[in-house]
């Protein structure tokens, strides 16, 4: 049986394998504090990473999703989790988007689409709305396809709590 959402998801390309090393990357991005720098996945060893791909800065769904991640950012930081947004927009667009929306987490510029393609999240010039949870050892633990921007951040937090409870990566001490 065919479902409309499945065709679009499949067109993004093959997904990386769960429980294997997540594809490495280095991209330029806005750090959320107005600085442009290089970001590499390997820089986040020792902490969980929420790597979320989205189609375009300043569009309604992408803005809603970014706002939700920003709203929940203190909860991610309490858990020692890094949120990284990725789209094919350039660093100037990301800087303007961060400024306009008050985003304090990095947005990475995948201008060539190469990283989006590595993650099976690229279609006709845009990144698809997919999210990947990567553990402190760099292992891909969860893939989200067909994300609902309004509730996605809460869904990710719930899943992170479950994954963290079942792994050797413990929550940092509170206080």
């Amino acid at each position: 049986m065919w479902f409309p959402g499945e065709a679009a998801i499949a067109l993004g390309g093959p997904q990386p394998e769960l429980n294997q090393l997540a594809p490495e990357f280095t991209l330029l991005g806005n750090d959320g504090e107005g600085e442009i720098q290089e970001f590499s996945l390997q820089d986040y060893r020792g902490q969980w990473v929420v790597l979320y791909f989205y189609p375009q800065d300043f569009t309604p769904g992408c803005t809603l999703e970014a706002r939700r991640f920003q709203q929940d950012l203190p909860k991610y930081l309490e858990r020692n989790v890094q949120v990284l947004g990725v789209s094919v927009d350039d660093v100037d667009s990301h800087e303007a988007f961060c400024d306009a929306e008050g985003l304090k987490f990095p947005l990475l510029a995948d201008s060539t689409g190469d990283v989006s393609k590595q993650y099976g999240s690229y279609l006709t010039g845009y990144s698809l709305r997919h999210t990947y949870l990567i553990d402190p050892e760099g292992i891909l633990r969860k893939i989200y396809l067909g994300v609902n921007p309004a509730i996605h951040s809460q869904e990710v937090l719930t899943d992170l709590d479950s994954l963290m409870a079942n792994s050797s990566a413990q929550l940092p001490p509170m206080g």
Side-chain angles (χ1 to χ4, degrees), residues 24-138:
E24 288 290 341
F25 62 83
T26 299
L27 292 171
L28 282 179
N30 184 305
D31 67 357
E33 300 295 331
E35 298 294 322
I36 305 300
Q37 63 186 57
E38 277 193 348
F39 294 85
S40 295
L41 182 58
Q42 64 189 7
D43 296 341
Y44 298 101
R45 289 291 198 275
Q47 69 184 123
W48 285 83
V49 174
V50 174
L51 182 65
Y52 86 94
F53 291 83
Y54 64 98
Q56 191 173 22
D57 294 338
F58 297 105
T59 57
C62 299
T63 300
L64 178 61
E65 185 175 22
R67 285 177 180 168
R68 293 293 193 263
F69 276 117
Q70 179 60 42
Q71 174 184 315
D72 293 334
L73 191 59
K75 295 174 185 173
Y76 287 102
L77 296 176
E78 286 171 5
R79 292 163 172 80
N80 191 32
V81 175
Q82 177 65 56
V83 175
L84 299 173
V86 179
S87 79
V88 298
D89 295 307
D90 63 26
V91 291
D92 293 333
S93 177
H94 286 336
E95 183 176 21
F97 190 43
C98 284
D99 289 347
E101 296 300 329
L103 304 179
K104 300 297 183 191
F105 56 86
L107 295 181
L108 311 184
D110 185 20
S111 302
T112 63
D114 289 344
V115 174
S116 298
K117 289 172 188 171
Q118 282 184 295
Y119 280 85
S121 299
Y122 185 82
L123 182 64
T124 319
Y126 293 95
S127 300
L128 296 171
R129 195 177 310 282
H130 295 166
T131 300
Y132 303 85
L133 297 186
I134 302 164
D135 78 9
E137 288 78 41

